[in-house]
Structure formats: structure tokens, C-alpha cells
Amino acid sequence: MIQIKNEITKKQPNFWNNCLFHPTDAIEDSWGKRILDRMAEDKSIQTIRIYTMFEDIVYRDMEGKLQYDFRANDLRLDYLIEKGYDVLLAYAAMPDCIALSMNSKTSVSFNKTRYKGKMFNTSPPKDYALWEEVCYQYTKHIVERYGIERVSKWHMQCFNEPDIPFFFMADIPHHPAPERVQEYCKMYEAFEHGIRRVSDEIKIGGPALALHIIPFMEPWLRYVKQKQLKLDFISFHNYGAEPGAIEAGIETLNVENHMKIQENYMKVIDDCGFEDIPIIVDEWGMMSLGFYNKSQMSCLVHRETEVFSAYFAKLIHAYIHSDYKIEKLLICLSGQHEMVEDFTGFRNFFTLNYIAKPIYNCYVLASKLGDNLLDYYVDNEKIAVVPTKDECGNYAILLSYASETFEDSIPNLEQIVKFDENVIGQKVTVWCIDKHTTNPYRLCQRMGKEEPDTEEEILTLREEGKLKPVYESILSKKDEIKLHLTPNCTFLITVEK
């Protein structure tokens, strides 16, 4: 039994409906806009993280002076603002015209180049005063264009994953590397100076680490403290497991992996005296390796299935019941531009033919949760419950049923959801994501296929990916709701006056 108590335990603002949209320059393209339009319409995403893509902006004129072309940047930000998104901007990459080296470029993908034939310059600047000036001019421009009232609500982040060669100092292949953190400290200081020349109201932070390398986080935080630099948030990435380790039987899918990584980071942050600084997990995923798919690692098929949605629901539950000050949690959407089939196992919300995955629909469900977290009782440890109430007294309850490591072998369960409050006469709506409901990949399997072959099959799978209630009624006799739980299922129940 699941008992929903009429007692608010804490105010819980939504920190989970956010994403990194990659590649940034897909915002200019029809397929990227189609995804952004859908997320805006469904209100499934609040904050979107993108790169500033300085390589599109900064150049030198014939006299060697730095010049700025903000047209592509403005098109991207205008579109996000038009659709109602909040923004987190990663100030990256290093413009070629101020880079120390031209031999430090990477594609950050399996292809020879990034999207649209671009490369990512991972070099430090030849002069940190030039990097400061770029950060200043960019910030000055967006404040003049969008106003300090709007921009001060955004978050500005120095670079992305500076602890790995893919994004910073690719000519030094090993990590951890002391020279990497030393250069990043100087980069953050110049970034901070440049932005504060525009306004002290703008929220800034970093370092957006990729790996769980404490020797990077600690010296950077101590540098920030020693220099008394502005730091409004601390960001890092948290991926639950390495696909290769799962394939080798060394790791398993487990939300506790996330919590252990988080705990390790938080201990360093607290020890350095930053325990009151908000935390932004600016990339998360059930598994790492965003540019890999199921053809390389078979376990990545879980990105297509009900396992991912159940994982997300359990992750929300775990973070809510931790002591970590999480301001935002952003799922990483990447590999979107590299798809050649529908069910590839990339980390994205929609397939090649715009079929919504279970993980996307779980984001839609999670967006309906209220801000008041309720007390509850559940008699099964495999059921994670997030019961909420809004200011009007309407209930929204997210729950998932899964084993610790998301096996498919746990038994089906019949469960009753009961309320302490009398809810007879109110409207109840139930949504479900499981093996047989709102699950295009599983339907494709039941059709005897791995991929759809015809337009009719694509339309059928798109329809399957549309989130629809499985039950709607008025509670007339008993203040209880019956649920049939299957392995790795996710439900949302709303009860409205």
C-alpha cells in the first residue's frame, strides 16, 4: 500500500526539468527547432544549457583588432527566449584568433569534425587579458540586447569539462594533469573579471567537470577562495555508470552510483568552505559516452526503454531525500545529429523520425509535480514515491517501481494508493510508462522489428510515443486508486479539485 499523508514536509522547487541542448547550432535548424518547440509546448524543460560558441563570434580585422559578429548567437538566444526558456551559457570555446595554439583542436565526436564541419579549439588563450576582453564584450552585448533584469536570472559558466583533453588542452593527452587545473584557474579569474566589468548581478560559476577528479575541484576552489573571486554556483557532471564497465560486469545501473559521486564532490566543496554555494549538475545521464550507441555498447539500448524513465524518477526521489543543495539538474541531450536510425541508443528525447522516447515522456510527467512535498508511507522498498501538492490543493504523485539495479525479473505488483485527506468527488488522472505503455521501442519489438521500415510504421510509433492518460475518473466511493506495477514502470497520478 502507498499512503499519501496530508502533511507538507518541505517546499521543493522543481530542479529536474532542465537540459543541455547539443549541438548548440542546431537551434538554427528545422530539426532542432522542432524539438525545442515540442519541449516548450509540453513545458517539459525550464532551463536550457548551450555553448556561446565563441568561434562563431570573435575574429580579427585587417589591422589585427578583435571584432565581434553576434548574429548567429542572437538568432539562437532570441529563439530560446521566444519559447520561454531560461538559459545557462557555457563560455566556450577558445576563439582561434586569441588561442595559444592551433594544434589543440578536437571534434568532440566520432566524426572528423563537429556539427557543420566545425572544430573545438581546446587551447588556453595566448594572453588572459584577451580572454577577459572576449568575456566582457560578449556579456556586455547580451545585457544590452536582453536587459540586465533577464540576464541576471541566467547562469554563466566558465568553459566546459576543463579536466579532460576533449575540451581543454588536447595536446596534453593524460589526466589528471596539474597544468590543466593551473590554466583553468587563470581562465576562471579572467572570466570573472570580464563579466563583473559588466555587472555584479550576473550569476557566474564553474568548473563543469567531466570526471570525478577531486585533485581538479579542490585546487580550483582554493584558488577562488584565495583570490576572493565571485562564485554563485558550482557545477559538475554526474553520470551514473560507464557503459564499458557495465558490459564487463564491473558496474551496474544504480542510482546510488550518482549519490556516491555527489557525496564525493560535496565533501570537497564543504572542506573548502563553499558548503552554502548552490550546486548545478549541468549534465547527468544514466550512463556516460554520449556519442556512443547500442552498436558499440549493447547496454545503451536502455536509453530507448522504460528503464531510463524509471531511473529518472528514482533519481529525483534520491536527490529530494538527500541533503544536497541542488539548484538545477540538467540531462545531456547529445548525439542527436549523428543518428542514422531511430532506436540507436543515443542520449536524446526523440528518435531520428521524431518518435518520443520514454525518458522524454517521464520529463513531461515530472514537470507536473507541485512545489509542496508531502509525507507518505510505502510498504515496498522498490517503490520510489514523490508525492506533491500545489497551492490550490491539487495532488501530483510520481512513482516508479524498480529494483536497485533495474533487473527485469522482479514480480508484478498490485498496489493501492490511499489518501489521508478525503478526496472523494475529485478528478483522478493516471499516466503510465512501462513495457507495454507509451513505449515505441518495445512496440517496435512486438512488431518483430528493430527499426521501422515504412511511413505507416513510423506514424504508429509516433502515436505510441504520445503521452495519454491510462485512466480518468471521478473518485466517487473510495479515496483510493489501484495500480498494476510491472518492472521499471513509472506512474504519475494527479487528483484535482
Side-chain angles (χ1 to χ4, degrees):
M1 183 181 74
I2 302 167
Q3 189 80 28
I4 308 301
K5 300 182 180 182
N6 191 25
E7 178 186 344
I8 297 173
T9 58
K10 68 173 178 177
K11 204 81 170 168
Q12 182 58 72
N14 184 320
F15 58 80
W16 48 84
N17 277 101
N18 311 292
C19 77
L20 162 64
F21 188 80
H22 182 82
T24 293
D25 35 351
I27 298 172
E28 304 150 24
D29 302 331
S30 58
W31 71 265
K33 288 179 177 177
R34 189 179 191 181
I35 294 170
L36 292 165
D37 291 353
R38 173 73 174 272
M39 295 190 306
E41 180 183 352
D42 292 341
K43 296 181 171 57
S44 58
I45 293 296
Q46 298 173 350
T47 297
I48 287 187
R49 175 180 175 239
I50 59 170
Y51 301 144
T52 54
M53 297 191 71
F54 285 146
E55 69 267 37
D56 285 352
I57 296 172
V58 188
Y59 66 99
R60 290 187 185 273
D61 63 16
M62 297 296 290
E63 297 176 357
K65 294 179 181 179
L66 289 183
Q67 300 293 338
Y68 302 87
D69 181 349
F70 294 108
R71 288 174 296 176
N73 172 83
D74 294 349
L75 286 172
R76 296 163 193 158
L77 287 179
D78 286 356
Y79 200 80
L80 296 182
I81 291 168
E82 176 191 333
K83 294 300 173 181
Y85 293 113
D86 190 9
V87 178
L88 191 159
L89 286 167
Y91 280 45
M94 191 58 59
D96 286 347
C97 60
I98 69 167
L100 179 65
S101 170
M102 294 296 288
N103 300 316
S104 189
K105 292 192 174 186
T106 65
S107 66
V108 203
S109 73
F110 284 132
N111 296 324
K112 291 181 180 179
T113 67
R114 295 163 67 204
Y115 190 48
K116 299 183 180 179
K118 297 176 184 178
M119 296 290 281
F120 196 101
N121 195 325
T122 71
S123 169
K126 62 182 68 172
D127 182 343
Y128 279 97
L130 294 174
W131 171 248
E132 178 183 327
E133 185 65 17
V134 167
C135 294
Y136 165 73
Q137 292 291 347
Y138 180 82
T139 308
K140 177 173 172 284
H141 170 76
I142 61 174
V143 168
E144 288 174 349
R145 185 174 180 86
Y146 303 112
I148 190 62
E149 184 178 356
R150 183 189 299 276
V151 174
S152 64
K153 295 175 184 174
W154 295 354
H155 292 75
M156 312 302 177
Q157 179 185 76
C158 183
F159 236 67
N160 175 68
E161 298 189 343
D163 52 334
I164 61 171
F166 277 131
F167 283 97
F168 193 45
M169 301 173 71
D171 51 339
I172 301 175
H174 60 284
H175 51 79
E179 51 267 66
R180 216 174 251 119
V181 69
Q182 290 163 10
E183 292 299 323
Y184 181 75
C185 286
K186 291 186 282 186
M187 183 177 291
Y188 184 83
E189 183 174 8
F191 159 84
E192 188 254 22
H193 290 348
I195 291 179
R196 291 186 72 185
R197 282 167 58 192
V198 179
S199 173
D200 268 336
E201 296 180 50
I202 297 171
K203 298 174 187 172
I204 62 174
L209 298 186
L211 305 174
H212 319 132
I213 299 176
I214 302 308
F216 196 107
M217 178 69 85
E218 183 174 355
W220 173 70
L221 286 175
R222 297 205 183 281
Y223 186 90
V224 168
K225 184 172 281 292
Q226 176 194 355
K227 294 278 190 171
Q228 297 183 321
L229 302 177
K230 189 174 191 287
L231 181 63
D232 298 302
F233 64 92
I234 298 170
S235 60
F236 50 80
H237 303 167
N238 193 335
Y239 290 94
E242 293 288 338
I246 291 178
E247 300 275 281
I250 299 169
E251 291 183 350
T252 59
L253 288 179
N254 194 328
V255 169
E256 279 306 304
N257 296 341
H258 274 273
M259 295 299 104
K260 288 175 183 175
I261 292 166
Q262 193 82 29
E263 182 181 359
N264 290 337
Y265 271 131
M266 297 310 298
K267 186 177 185 307
V268 174
I269 291 167
D270 291 354
D271 288 347
C272 292
F274 290 92
E275 62 275 6
D276 294 326
I277 300 293
I279 303 299
I280 294 180
V281 180
D282 60 312
E283 287 186 29
W284 84 270
M286 179 173 55
M287 292 174 276
S288 59
L289 300 181
F291 293 100
Y292 282 67
N293 60 45
K294 67 181 185 181
S295 67
Q296 285 108 16
M297 303 277 184
S298 61
C299 63
L300 293 178
V301 71
H302 289 312
R303 290 174 176 163
E304 307 290 342
T305 74
E306 70 286 350
V307 171
F308 204 174
S309 48
Y311 193 102
F312 177 47
K314 285 191 72 172
L315 186 64
I316 294 173
H317 178 270
Y319 269 120
I320 282 176
H321 292 281
S322 72
D323 295 325
Y324 308 134
K325 297 179 180 69
I326 304 298
E327 184 171 312
K328 292 182 186 292
L329 178 72
L330 292 82
I331 190 170
C332 182
L333 307 179
S334 67
Q336 298 181 110
H337 61 294
E338 300 196 321
M339 290 186 292
V340 294
E341 295 177 311
D342 278 296
F343 302 115
T344 52
F346 281 122
R347 55 187 186 196
N348 40 34
F349 280 159
F350 298 93
T351 73
L352 179 67
N353 285 298
Y354 194 60
I355 300 165
K357 299 183 178 186
I359 182 59
Y360 176 70
N361 282 313
C362 194
Y363 265 75
V364 177
L365 296 182
S367 72
K368 300 178 186 295
L369 291 171
D371 281 350
N372 297 310
L373 190 67
L374 300 176
D375 196 7
Y376 68 96
Y377 166 79
V378 62
D379 60 3
N380 190 310
E381 63 180 7
K382 294 182 177 64
I383 301 174
V385 186
V386 182
T388 67
K389 213 175 192 182
D390 66 17
E391 299 304 323
C392 298
N394 299 310
Y395 289 92
I397 302 148
L398 184 71
L399 67 90
S400 62
Y401 171 57
S403 71
E404 186 177 328
T405 53
F406 299 90
E407 296 99 346
D408 201 31
S409 56
I410 59 175
N412 295 350
L413 286 181
E414 304 299 325
Q415 280 286 311
I416 293 176
V417 180
K418 293 180 67 85
F419 296 82
D420 281 357
E421 182 184 19
N422 182 2
V423 292
I424 292 175
Q426 298 187 26
K427 179 185 177 182
V428 60
T429 308
V430 179
W431 291 267
C432 173
I433 301 170
D434 65 12
K435 262 192 173 181
H436 301 282
T437 314
T438 326
N439 201 325
Y441 176 72
R442 298 296 192 193
L443 176 57
C444 194
Q445 285 185 316
R446 291 196 296 275
M447 292 161 60
K449 302 195 169 189
E450 282 295 312
E451 292 287 328
D453 294 323
T454 66
E455 185 63 27
E456 182 180 0
E457 289 170 353
I458 290 169
L459 292 174
T460 298
L461 295 173
R462 275 190 198 152
E463 187 63 28
E464 173 69 11
K466 292 179 181 177
L467 192 60
K468 300 174 282 291
V470 295
Y471 178 76
E472 291 181 283
S473 184
I474 302 297
L475 289 168
S476 57
K477 294 181 180 179
K478 293 183 178 180
D479 56 346
E480 61 182 42
I481 301 161
K482 293 182 179 179
L483 299 177
H484 177 68
L485 306 185
T486 59
N488 301 313
C489 66
T490 304
F491 281 86
L492 183 83
I493 302 163
T494 59
V495 180
E496 301 169 292
K497 293 184 176 180

